[in-house]
Amino acid sequence: MKLATHCVTKPWGREDVPARFGALPGSRVGEVWFDHPSQPLPLLVKWLFTSERLSIQVHPDDRQARVRGLSAGKEECWIVVDAEPGAVLGIGTREALEPDALRSAAQSGAIEGLMDWKPVSPGDYYFIPAGTVHAIGAGVTLVEVQQNADVTYRLYDYGRPRELHLDDGVAVSQAEPYADPRCGRLGQRSDHDALLSCRHFALWSIQAGEVDRWKDTGAPRWIIPLSGNIIANDDSAGQGDCLYLEGAAALQLSEDFFGLVAIAYG
């Protein structure tokens, strides 16, 4: 089935989000979510469109979230679809920071200069483990695949009048240089290798000619078109859509199709 599209306006969003995502003219859309109409799913797929830097933030892991009365933490991955010249992602800090130093830097704004701002281009992807201090820069369009949990602790927000969460954020942060190997560029791995895998989900790329292995994996799967079109049973989808498949499905991909497949664990 094709998941329902939900546009979310954000102060850092954009007014040029294509109509195929369901954006209303003149609305400042920052996120497009894909939801099941009748049940929560273990993963949430989003597109993000930025005109300004997002807050510097962090997510707890499952254990830390449950201690705080929440159902789950959040791990996520980012796949860059488009990036303006000079666009960056902030992932980790340039040096390790003790909790008191992280708090002080967040309060003074010095954290902005301590982030590791990585230049990005289309095709880059990064896995963001829980505890990683991170931020998305301006001029980026990306797909985010994440645990379906609404838990974000803001450490710094460039003076915007929004709530910060310094106590919880500092407590769950691992403020240090990013060293996770689950990053790279689309096309660097063989067709049958996952781009990345964690305890909650795995992610692959898919293109025309690779359809057979995704007709029935024995597990629910999300198919996220980046270009071209796909037909799954009676549903047709292109960029701006997300398919959710359970069980066997008849799949047809256009010759120019390229996209992502996510499978949840547990």
Side-chain angles (χ1 to χ4, degrees):
M1 65 174 295
K2 189 184 297 186
L3 294 178
T5 302
H6 178 54
C7 291
V8 182
T9 58
K10 294 287 185 179
W12 42 261
R14 298 210 307 257
E15 296 182 4
D16 63 348
V17 174
R20 62 179 172 271
F21 287 90
L24 296 175
S27 59
R28 199 172 178 85
V29 173
E31 299 180 355
V32 177
W33 299 14
F34 298 96
D35 298 322
H36 194 285
S38 61
Q39 67 184 48
L41 298 176
L43 300 182
L44 178 63
V45 173
K46 299 178 181 177
W47 282 72
L48 278 75
F49 305 87
T50 71
S51 62
E52 303 172 11
R53 286 183 176 181
L54 277 66
S55 63
I56 296 174
Q57 57 188 241
V58 66
H59 308 302
D61 62 23
D62 289 346
R63 180 191 62 80
Q64 293 165 334
R66 288 169 185 147
V67 166
R68 290 162 173 78
L70 304 169
S71 61
K74 189 195 302 188
E75 295 194 314
E76 61 194 21
C77 65
W78 296 337
I79 304 92
V80 179
V81 178
D82 195 16
E84 296 177 1
V88 295
L89 297 175
I91 309 177
T93 52
R94 292 187 289 106
E95 59 187 49
L97 300 174
E98 295 296 328
D100 287 347
L102 176 61
R103 178 186 291 272
S104 177
Q107 290 173 326
S108 69
I111 190 172
E112 188 174 351
L114 294 173
M115 292 293 294
D116 183 4
W117 296 105
K118 300 178 182 296
V120 291
S121 59
D124 292 340
Y125 66 88
Y126 289 92
F127 178 68
I128 309 297
T132 304
V133 180
H134 63 275
I136 298 174
V140 178
T141 299
L142 61 78
V143 171
E144 180 176 286
V145 179
Q146 60 163 85
Q147 287 179 263
N148 194 357
D150 185 15
V151 51
T152 296
Y153 298 139
R154 293 190 199 98
L155 297 170
Y156 178 71
D157 202 22
Y158 314 98
R160 298 184 186 115
R162 295 196 294 175
E163 181 184 5
L164 299 180
H165 314 95
L166 288 182
D167 289 342
D168 284 324
V170 170
V172 305
S173 291
Q174 299 175 32
E176 59 191 18
Y178 178 82
D180 198 287
R182 289 167 288 186
C183 60
R185 287 190 55 78
L186 297 179
Q188 287 184 333
R189 296 178 182 270
S190 71
D191 295 340
H192 291 279
D193 290 338
L195 298 173
L196 57 91
S197 179
C198 66
R199 61 180 297 189
H200 301 289
F201 62 88
L203 188 73
W204 288 261
S205 62
I206 176 177
Q207 57 189 343
E210 301 170 3
V211 65
D212 288 345
R213 66 186 300 230
W214 301 112
K215 290 181 177 179
D216 189 1
T217 64
R221 56 221 184 270
W222 290 252
I223 299 182
I224 309 149
L226 302 181
S227 62
N229 292 279
I230 179 173
I231 298 174
N233 296 332
D234 296 326
D235 289 310
S236 177
Q239 189 187 82
D241 299 316
C242 181
L243 293 175
Y244 176 70
L245 305 178
E246 294 179 330
L251 302 179
Q252 300 177 50
L253 278 61
S254 64
E255 291 185 1
D256 61 343
F257 182 87
F258 185 75
L260 305 167
V261 178
I263 292 181
Y265 296 143

